[in-house]
Amino acid sequence: MVLLPLLLIAAIALIVIGATVDGMLYLASIGTLLLIADVLCLAARSMLHRRRPAH
């Protein structure tokens, strides 16, 4: 459970560093891809762990 917030922080840090440092645009794109992957992983996890109503 610690991995997803850690990946989220890493993605935001890569985006900020890539956007501010000249010539490091590839870091921003890697951070964006990591952010998208993290959001998709969170969405898949919430869809799979949905509780079913009791009968």
Side-chain angles (χ1 to χ4, degrees), residues 3-4 9-10 13 17-18 21-25 30-32 34 38 40-41 45-47 49-50 53-55:
L3 181 64
L4 293 176
I9 292 170
I17 291 170
V21 177
D22 190 33
M24 295 262 194
L25 192 57
I30 291 172
T32 304
L34 188 60
D38 192 36
L40 289 176
C41 186
R45 177 179 271 191
S46 69
M47 294 285 272
H49 293 299
R50 196 181 314 177
H55 291 271

Side-chain angles (χ1 to χ4, degrees), residues 10-20 24 27-33 35:
I12 292 171
L14 284 175
I15 291 171
V16 169
I17 291 170
T20 56
M24 295 262 194
L27 282 180
S29 50
I30 291 172
T32 304
L33 291 175
L35 184 65

